[in-house]
Amino acid sequence: MTALRLWELASSYDTLRALADMPDAEPGEWEQALADLQEEGAAKVTNIGLVIQELRQEQAIITDEINRLKARAESRIKGIGRLNHYLVTHMPALGLTKVNAPRITVYLQANPPSVAITDPEAVPVAFRHGTLPLDYEEWPDELREKVQTWGYDKRAILDVLKGGLAVPGARIEQGQHVRVR
């Protein structure tokens, strides 16, 4: 008998059950065919179960490898950050802003200007915005007392500071970052 697929075995069962109801069928013939079919079906189910078990083990190995590679990538990112910080700190101390080598060029580049809030209470209200964690029913008079966090319109503050005016509690910062080409 050629190997049947599992779904083909199920339809063969139906045929054998119909054969069992026929009065002219020999009693031992259909019982033997049924036993052979059950044996083949059990072997197929066992093999499918083994494949499922193997796939689960392979999936666990792949998941472990993914986690290992993620940890390795995170370690590399932290290492790059440390080396960048090292260069930003030490290149100016050595009087270097750019190093040209045959295989690589490393230089410091200025970051865009940004605003640093040095004294949050001193920043004028016109530059503040807040987040209120409220249900709609809670909206009456005490809104300012319920502010959990303050945010600042740093773009507006930066524009004012670039225009030469002072904003209490804020200043312009401009750092550097490393470029490697």
Side-chain angles (χ1 to χ4, degrees):
M1 179 181 240
T2 61
L4 297 175
R5 293 184 177 95
L6 202 53
W7 62 272
E8 291 172 330
L9 288 174
S11 66
S12 295
Y13 271 113
D14 293 338
T15 305
L16 283 176
R17 286 189 190 107
L19 184 66
D21 292 336
M22 292 183 161
D24 58 342
E26 292 183 32
E29 181 182 338
W30 69 270
E31 290 169 347
Q32 181 60 42
L34 184 61
D36 291 344
L37 203 55
Q38 285 176 334
E39 229 174 81
E40 191 173 342
K44 287 217 177 277
V45 169
T46 300
N47 288 336
I48 290 170
L50 290 172
V51 168
I52 290 170
Q53 191 174 46
E54 185 178 326
L55 291 174
R56 283 184 179 152
Q57 291 169 352
E58 188 177 333
Q59 180 268 330
I61 291 168
I62 290 169
T63 300
D64 290 345
E65 184 66 8
I66 288 170
N67 291 336
R68 185 186 71 79
L69 290 172
K70 280 182 181 177
R72 189 172 177 192
E74 288 173 12
S75 174
R76 295 295 192 264
I77 289 169
K78 288 178 183 176
I80 290 167
R82 284 190 302 271
L83 291 171
N84 278 331
H85 178 72
Y86 179 81
L87 289 175
V88 166
T89 303
H90 291 88
M91 282 178 70
L94 295 171
L96 298 172
T97 56
K98 187 173 189 176
V99 175
N100 286 318
R103 294 179 54 198
I104 195 166
T105 300
V106 179
Y107 61 97
L108 296 177
Q109 181 174 345
N111 292 335
S114 63
V115 172
I117 303 297
T118 56
D119 184 3
E121 297 299 318
V123 175
V125 177
F127 295 112
R128 294 185 188 190
H129 55 83
T131 303
L132 301 172
L134 302 176
D135 291 333
Y136 184 74
E137 296 82 30
E138 295 183 57
W139 279 73
D141 304 328
E142 309 97 30
L143 290 180
R144 290 180 189 250
E145 296 170 357
K146 294 190 180 221
V147 172
Q148 297 290 312
T149 58
W150 284 106
Y152 303 94
D153 187 352
K154 290 186 176 183
R155 173 56 47 201
I157 294 171
L158 184 62
D159 291 342
V160 169
L161 291 172
K162 280 183 172 180
L165 299 174
V167 175
R171 64 179 165 80
I172 290 182
E173 280 188 344
Q174 188 165 13
Q176 294 179 321
H177 64 277
V178 175
R179 290 289 220 187
V180 179
R181 291 186 187 205

